[in-house]
Amino acid sequence: MPEATLDRAATVPLTGWGRTAPTPALLTPVHDDDAVRTALAESTGRGVLARGLARSYGDAAQNAGGHVLDMTTYRGVLAADLTTGLVDVEAGISLDELMTRFVPQGFFVPVTAGTRYVTVGGAIAADIHGKNHHVAGSFSQHVRWLDLLTADGQVHRVSPDSDADLFWATAGGMGLTGVILRAQVQMKPIESSRIVVDTDRTPDLDALMTLLTETDHLYEYSVAWIDCVTKGRRMGRSVLTRGRFARRDELPAKRQADPLAYSSSVKLSVPNVFPPGMLNLATVSAFNELWYRKAPTRKRDQLQSIPAFFHPLDGVGAWNRIYGPRGFVQYQFTVPFGQEEAMREAMVRIASSGTASFLAVLKRFGPGNPGMLSYPSPGWTLALDIPVVRGLATLLDQLDELVLAAGGRIYLAKDSRVRAETFAQMYERIDDFRAVRARVDPDGVFTSDLARRLEL
Amino acid sequence: MIDALGSVGSLLLVGGTSDIAAATAHRYLAERPLRVVVAARDTPRRAAVAAELAAAGATVQVVDFDADDPASPARMVAEAAAGGDVDVAVVAFGQLGDQQQLAADPDAVAALARVNYVAPAVVGTVLAQHMRAQGHGVIVALSSVAGERPRASNFVYGSTKAGIDAFYSGLGDSLAGTGVSVLVVRPGFVRSKMTEGLDDAPLATTPQAVAEAIVAGVRSGRHTVWVPGAMRVVMSGLRHVPRALFRRLPI
Ligand SMILES: Cc1cc2nc3c(=O)[nH]c(=O)nc-3n(C[C@H](O)[C@H](O)[C@H](O)COP(=O)(O)OP(=O)(O)OC[C@H]3O[C@@H](n4cnc5c(N)ncnc54)[C@H](O)[C@@H]3O)c2cc1C
Ligand SMILES: NC(=O)c1ccc[n+]([C@@H]2O[C@H](COP(=O)([O-])OP(=O)(O)OC[C@H]3O[C@@H](n4cnc5c(N)ncnc54)[C@H](OP(=O)(O)O)[C@@H]3O)[C@@H](O)[C@H]2O)c1
């Protein structure tokens, strides 16, 4: 599943996961710190950017006409303390590899995205959140330090205690402060590789939000899948899955001998109802219907594997191709608690636009962190995949206005189309971010298509 | 940058006072505010176009451009690019010329060929060079159905458009894989400053319709558009009409 990597530099067209707006760049595999310095020295005015596994949806990991550093070749484990769970890694290592290596040793990644094919560098640069955000915060909060190579060619070890501004500009900073070379990550101790899962089906959005508000704190991990296609009364019907890692003594007797057994392979768990190019309202409705019907109304204490619970889509392979050559976008936004009406209104508008959304995922965020461009903030977050269709640009611009008016924001790792002015209004600490960037990279050597588009 | 949904961040109008160019900018502005560079000769009309675009929400930059000055294209593109990447450039300057006068004045033929062919080809070359380095961008070139099968009534103009059509079509092919693309636009008769006082030809259209076709063509990544769309069929018919008959057609 990870992208094929080049063994030497070549100019290639690059896109994100949504496969929209490709641009060419000189892609260079990185094996050591000096490769980054060489790129800086050779930079021609179009700048330099780090790229991980390209699971950001839009143009965050693209740099038209410039240098792009493929970090996935820089992926060693440098040190691992199995008493404390502190691991020192090179930034190109994937969460997949961290799990394969450390789950059998009793440690899980502190935060994982809906896919495990993301790099540690990408996880920090987007300050990713997982199903445990409401209790654990986002990825950067579990990073003890990171080594950042800045525009002057120097490596700085920064942390929340040492040059905190640079640390919190880099966490969520989308690669624009420099290249993250290494990081120390606090892994999470686990007794088993199974999750104890509770499933609830709710008939509509209100029921879902109520359930989440009342009982989310009882669970370590929580996420809801929402049907955004069905209109009217049943709009927002959903399947909520929540869980926690099982203790060893909760496993069936035969598993207790090897409680940490881990295999990343998982059977296809999403009904494969989409022949290529067949994504439309009918197929999406069928999918939504199936998913909803398939889920139990209420189920308790079901044991699931890590891939089944956290990364069901990773079993489907390159599912981003089902959207066809025009690609797709993901619209993910958050609104503060108390702005549930705005969330509902956004869903109504998407449902009534007839724009098929394959996946809609709702989560309740906990407190945010000092990351200047870090996305999570207390409230609700909804993420929807939408194929590129006529009129979508206008619809999403209108949703941005709605989200902004509600005091919310969109997520850069998913974005490929927000307006620069709108974005700036959504992130109140954008000037702090710009100030740090001006300090460490006065000439703006580190840049990306996203940075140009959003005038960051 | 042109984003995932085809929204444009910056637009360069070469021949910024052209009715078609201005209509294109207004069409984009109806979707979102954007940066517009108006490259044109220093005339009251230029100031008026700039003011109208600013009023419609554009961040306007005015740049001198004179197709009669060989040094102008390079300077113009450099000045436009100083303000940031150029996402879409519309090459829209041109003159119709007076066929009767042209028949009797070789110097006027040379001058028209310079404005309508030499200058756009130079501009296209400079733009392509710049966008190639930039790694992205779309060049929109205003060709014309007049270049498809030149007529006795305006063949000098038609021949310059045939040249420009060939130039930009070839340029587009040469840029494959660079992130840069070219859209060749072939309008029929457009009611603009250029055709003021002339009688409408069949299928006459408006600068707004041409703008609509340009925006849609850029968004969907097309290489050629005809305006109105029916022109494509009409012209492919006309191409095969025997010469004796073609000469007598009232077009
Ligand atoms: C199916 C799917 C599910 C997802 N689920 C979630 C989710 O639940 N929660 C969530 O938060 N996100 C989620 N994402 C988004 C994903 O986690 C982020 O986009 C993440 O940044 C991807 O990491 P990557 O290694 O692929 O980085 P890329 O996409 O390659 O790059 C992302 C950004 O990080 C920067 N970057 C990468 N490496 C470095 C480095 N070494 N130094 C400096 N900058 C660097 C790049 O410049 C770019 O700006 C999901 C994506 C997919 C496709
Ligand atoms: N109108 C039609 O029927 C039609 C049909 C097919 C194709 N086209 C093509 O579409 C393009 C735009 O035409 P339009 O209809 O918008 O006409 P327009 O309004 O007359 O625009 C043409 C512009 O070209 C500019 N120009 C002329 N000579 C110049 C020079 N030496 N240097 C710089 N600029 C110069 C003029 O700018 P100034 O203000 O400086 O004079 C004028 O604004 C042209 O290429 C035209 O050939 C037009």
Side-chain angles (χ1 to χ4, degrees):
Chain A
M1 259 277 277
E3 284 186 314
T5 49
L6 305 164
D7 45 5
R8 57 196 170 78
T11 299
V12 288
L14 299 173
T15 72
W17 186 246
R19 303 174 75 228
T20 50
T23 52
L26 183 66
L27 186 66
T28 308
V30 170
H31 296 282
D32 51 34
D33 296 8
D34 278 339
V36 181
R37 293 195 182 94
T38 306
L40 283 173
E42 286 173 357
S43 166
T44 53
R46 295 300 292 178
V48 178
L49 182 74
R51 177 177 172 99
L53 280 161
R55 287 323 193 265
S56 47
Y57 275 64
D59 49 5
Q62 295 171 228
N63 181 23
H67 282 260
V68 172
L69 299 167
D70 178 359
M71 299 302 292
T72 61
T73 41
Y74 205 27
R75 54 158 186 256
V77 173
L78 305 170
D81 182 335
L82 295 177
T83 51
T84 58
L86 286 171
V87 300
D88 301 2
V89 292
E90 287 167 347
I93 196 169
S94 67
L95 299 191
D96 178 50
E97 199 164 330
L98 282 179
M99 288 176 210
T100 304
R101 291 180 77 140
F102 293 107
V103 167
Q105 316 248 34
F107 288 99
F108 190 59
V109 292
V111 168
T112 176
T115 171
R116 61 185 177 272
Y117 297 112
V118 305
T119 63
V120 164
I124 297 170
D127 192 20
I128 67 167
H129 57 270
K131 294 182 179 191
N132 58 348
H133 186 271
H134 60 295
V135 294
S138 48
F139 195 88
S140 301
Q141 287 162 254
H142 306 270
V143 172
R144 295 295 161 252
W145 52 256
L146 57 86
D147 281 348
L148 185 73
L149 198 155
T150 49
D152 57 6
Q154 303 291 312
V155 177
H156 309 265
R157 181 158 293 190
V158 298
S159 73
D161 305 316
S162 168
D163 203 344
D165 270 357
L166 186 50
F167 181 86
W168 290 114
T170 303
M174 304 309 278
L176 299 175
T177 56
V179 175
I180 303 163
L181 300 167
R182 289 167 287 274
Q184 183 174 71
V185 180
Q186 173 69 65
M187 301 285 281
K188 169 193 163 66
I190 50 176
E191 268 187 47
S192 84
S193 61
R194 302 276 136 174
I195 298 96
V196 186
V197 182
D198 287 355
T199 304
D200 295 272
R201 227 162 68 168
T202 67
D204 57 36
L205 197 59
D206 281 339
L208 173 64
M209 287 184 167
T210 306
L211 197 59
L212 284 169
T213 307
E214 285 169 0
T215 53
D216 231 21
H217 63 279
L218 302 176
Y219 295 88
E220 204 173 356
Y221 297 101
S222 159
V223 79
W225 168 86
I226 304 190
D227 174 358
C228 266
V229 177
T230 309
K231 287 179 229 175
R233 201 172 39 80
R234 283 184 307 157
M235 197 195 77
R237 62 182 182 164
S238 52
V239 179
L240 174 62
T241 53
R242 298 184 285 186
R244 60 175 170 80
F245 273 96
R247 290 188 312 272
R248 182 180 176 161
D249 61 20
E250 289 174 297
L251 299 184
K254 67 173 169 39
R255 282 202 187 278
Q256 288 194 12
D258 187 9
L260 291 162
Y262 174 72
S263 153
S264 63
S265 68
V266 61
K267 286 239 176 55
L268 197 76
S269 54
V270 175
N272 193 13
V273 292
F274 308 111
M278 278 296 290
L279 193 79
N280 57 39
L281 210 54
T283 49
V284 171
S285 300
F287 170 82
N288 283 331
E289 193 65 38
L290 228 115
W291 185 297
Y292 186 73
R293 295 273 162 239
K294 202 186 82 167
T297 319
R298 185 173 190 279
K299 190 155 185 168
R300 290 291 173 266
D301 298 337
Q302 192 190 9
L303 285 179
Q304 283 186 9
S305 70
I306 288 170
F309 182 72
F310 288 104
H311 315 117
L313 284 169
D314 284 345
V316 192
W319 58 265
N320 55 338
R321 293 182 184 271
I322 65 173
Y323 290 95
R326 290 212 285 173
F328 68 113
V329 301
Q330 183 170 92
Y331 192 66
Q332 180 167 8
F333 66 95
T334 145
V335 295
F337 295 123
Q339 294 290 338
E340 289 74 15
E341 260 325 297
M343 164 97 30
R344 174 189 314 282
E345 171 69 17
M347 281 185 58
V348 169
R349 287 202 207 166
I350 291 162
S352 52
S353 74
T355 313
S357 182
F358 172 31
L359 280 178
V361 174
L362 182 80
K363 201 185 144 52
R364 220 173 147 264
F365 272 154
N369 67 31
M372 294 164 193
L373 295 186
S374 178
Y375 167 67
S377 55
W380 303 95
T381 180
L382 184 72
L384 311 114
D385 283 356
I386 309 176
V388 173
V389 291
R390 261 180 102 87
L392 187 57
T394 309
L395 173 69
L396 295 185
D397 278 358
Q398 289 165 353
L399 292 183
D400 287 343
E401 292 303 319
L402 183 78
V403 167
L404 183 60
R409 48 168 70 153
I410 57 96
Y411 184 18
L412 278 186
K414 308 295 180 70
D415 180 60
S416 55
R417 37 66 48 200
V418 73
R419 279 179 48 194
E421 303 84 352
T422 313
F423 175 76
Q425 287 173 280
M426 288 173 168
Y427 282 80
E428 61 276 3
R429 297 199 59 199
I430 190 167
D431 288 334
D432 297 340
F433 176 76
R434 288 190 170 127
V436 173
R437 232 184 134 209
R439 165 164 70 94
V440 297
D441 186 7
D443 301 324
V445 174
F446 288 102
T447 189
S448 64
D449 287 2
L450 178 141
R452 290 195 184 90
R453 180 168 60 80
L454 297 181
E455 298 159 17
L456 282 176
Chain B
M1 301 291 312
I2 299 187
D3 74 16
L5 301 179
S7 298
V8 170
S10 68
L11 183 64
L12 165 62
L13 305 177
V14 189
T17 52
S18 131
D19 288 346
I20 291 174
T24 304
H26 283 286
R27 174 61 185 72
Y28 273 122
L29 285 164
E31 291 181 11
R32 276 185 176 193
L34 65 154
R35 184 168 82 90
V36 182
V37 183
V38 177
R41 297 187 286 200
D42 185 1
T43 59
R45 167 94 185 128
R46 182 176 83 174
V49 167
E52 281 162 24
L53 291 173
T59 307
V60 180
Q61 181 191 351
V62 174
V63 167
D64 284 332
F65 171 70
D66 184 346
D68 293 318
D69 173 3
S72 192
R75 200 168 49 219
M76 178 269 299
V77 172
E79 283 176 27
D85 284 11
V86 176
D87 296 349
V88 177
V90 183
V91 183
F93 61 94
Q95 297 172 10
L96 192 51
D98 176 341
Q99 182 59 45
Q100 225 137 48
Q101 186 211 338
L102 289 163
D105 184 352
D107 291 341
V109 172
L112 192 69
R114 270 198 302 274
V115 173
N116 278 5
Y117 176 76
V118 176
V122 173
V123 166
T125 306
V126 178
L127 279 173
Q129 220 172 3
H130 175 75
M131 286 185 173
R132 204 188 246 281
Q134 193 179 259
H136 69 104
V138 182
I139 304 172
V140 178
L142 267 303
S143 172
S144 166
V145 299
E148 194 64 12
R149 183 156 184 187
R151 287 164 290 139
S153 61
N154 70 350
F155 68 89
V156 180
Y157 172 80
S159 70
T160 62
K161 286 297 176 188
I164 270 316
D165 198 293
F167 177 87
Y168 278 97
S169 302
L171 182 67
D173 289 339
S174 80
L175 289 168
T178 63
V180 183
S181 66
V182 175
L183 172 66
V184 174
V185 185
R186 297 185 188 135
F189 185 99
V190 184
R191 291 179 208 108
S192 71
K193 287 203 304 299
M194 185 174 276
T195 54
E196 223 169 281
L198 301 180
D199 293 337
D200 276 9
L203 296 178
T205 183
T206 61
Q208 288 71 30
V210 181
E212 190 68 41
I214 289 174
V215 171
V218 170
R219 184 161 261 145
S220 53
R222 297 188 50 187
H223 301 295
T224 336
V225 288
W226 300 75
V227 200
M231 263 305 171
R232 190 177 67 83
V233 187
V234 172
M235 290 314 293
S236 90
L238 280 182
R239 236 187 330 255
H240 304 292
V241 171
R243 204 169 170 148
L245 177 59
F246 183 75
R247 267 204 306 270
R248 278 180 276 120
L249 286 179
I251 51 172

